[in-house]
């Protein structure tokens, strides 16, 4: 499973409910233009375009609160 995760052409990341990175593959780092080490210290808000954050944040909060989308 880890070889699929690391060799896929798709960017994959897992974050906790506070938006902190738990896991990411190299492709995800390339897509967001940061190193894996940098991503460990950045929240999802830090790497999201401000206009996109304004739209996405309420939806993410709803998922966290309701447990569904």
């Amino acid at each position: 499973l880890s070889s699929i995760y690391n060799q896929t052409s798709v960017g994959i990341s897992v974050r906790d409910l506070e938006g902190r990175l738990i896991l990411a593959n190299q492709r995800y780092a390339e897509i967001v233009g940061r190193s894996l080490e940098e991503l460990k210290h950045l929240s999802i808000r830090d790497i999201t375009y401000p206009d996109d954050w304004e739209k996405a944040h309420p939806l993410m909060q709803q998922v966290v609160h309701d447990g569904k989308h």
Side-chain angles (χ1 to χ4, degrees), residues 15 28 31-34 42-58 60:
R15 294 187 174 269
Y28 179 80
I31 289 169
V32 299
R34 305 291 183 125
L42 299 173
S43 73
I44 190 71
R45 186 173 189 166
D46 295 328
I47 63 168
T48 303
Y49 185 70
D51 289 346
D52 291 341
W53 178 256
E54 295 303 319
K55 295 172 190 169
H57 185 250
M60 290 187 290

Side-chain angles (χ1 to χ4, degrees), residues 21-36:
L21 185 71
I22 296 172
L23 187 65
N25 66 0
Q26 183 60 43
R27 181 63 182 135
Y28 179 80
E30 292 167 3
I31 289 169
V32 299
R34 305 291 183 125
S35 70
L36 288 172

